[in-house]
Amino acid sequence: MSIERLDLQDWQLNAAPDPAWQAALEDGAVLYCPNLCFALSSSEQHYLDPSLTNQKRKSIYIRGDSATLYGTDASANDQEGLLAMLTRYRSASMHLLTQMFPGYGPAMRPAGTSFRPRPTGTGEAALSWRKDDTRLHVDAFPSNPTRGLRILRVFSNVGTSARVWRVGESFEDMARRFVPNISAPLPGFAALIHSLGITKRKRSAYDHYMLHLHDRAKADLGYQRDCAQQRIEFAPASSWICFSDQVMHAAESGQYMIEQTIHLPRAALAYPEHSPLRILERMAGRELLPAAET
Ligand SMILES: [Fe+2]
């Protein structure tokens, strides 16, 4: 586990990027920028209100590069303001990453931008251990297989209290613990659940292992308690960046965060041997994606 502190103060870099940032990021570090603030305007401060979300949603969000807002029944006026805030965050975070990691540049695909006005651990998370992100996990989603696209995320704390994470052991150490007990995918199962509309695309063997790692770690309370981990407080007005499909993370407490998710093709990685796909393939002794996609 590693937390690297970066002294960035602006979403526009004023110097050349440090190549060590990319090496650390791809090695599974969280890049913490304590002085990188996503400032809300005085009218946006009004959105620091958990009642703006729909009852069942934990976030208000836009998808991809679209301009349709989901997750709120706010007034038309407020929806317009929320959409503008999320769109501005998407632009700022994509611009920052393009400067920090020039090799990712045009390969980056915005996957979603969300505003989370509720305290962590409430809503859906309180009902299901699988959705409980206060437990250490790597990101993997049952209905949305990535087929090897990396999940890169930028987070900003826009509230007035710290957002507290626990960050766990390395991906490889975690995988070594759980993979031996995960059965291989059942032949035909991925095609079946895709044909039934349960998954948005066909789940690859890689997605199968990632999903089981997410579930096994969350289900194992002894592991949650005893594994190597450190606690980190992301201060108000700070930001941080990580590959959330690689960093074991748990959102222990906090409220009011904005987050950008980016899907990154593996071809853009400088150190693909450090990626979850390659680590799992080395452990499995075989390829986990069809050859055409590797
Ligand atoms: Fe997560």
Side-chain angles (χ1 to χ4, degrees), residues 141-152:
F141 304 101
S143 64
N144 197 9
T146 69
R147 298 191 70 86
L149 285 175
R150 299 300 310 278
I151 303 175
L152 176 59

Side-chain angles (χ1 to χ4, degrees), residues 127-203:
L127 302 174
S128 157
W129 62 266
R130 273 200 180 87
K131 290 181 177 167
D132 181 1
D133 290 339
T134 66
R135 302 184 189 202
L136 286 162
H137 64 283
V138 285
D139 285 345
F141 304 101
S143 64
N144 197 9
T146 69
R147 298 191 70 86
L149 285 175
R150 299 300 310 278
I151 303 175
L152 176 59
R153 286 186 142 158
V154 183
F155 305 87
S156 292
N157 183 349
V158 294
T160 53
S161 57
R163 192 167 191 89
V164 180
W165 269 22
R166 289 182 293 133
V167 175
E169 61 186 350
S170 72
F171 182 89
E172 186 152 15
D173 287 347
M174 179 276 295
R176 228 181 257 131
R177 184 184 308 254
F178 292 111
V179 163
N181 294 319
I182 299 174
S183 306
L186 288 174
F189 182 69
L192 173 68
I193 57 175
H194 180 47
S195 71
L196 292 173
I198 294 170
T199 56
K200 290 181 185 166
R201 55 198 75 78
K202 197 174 158 193
R203 203 180 272 173

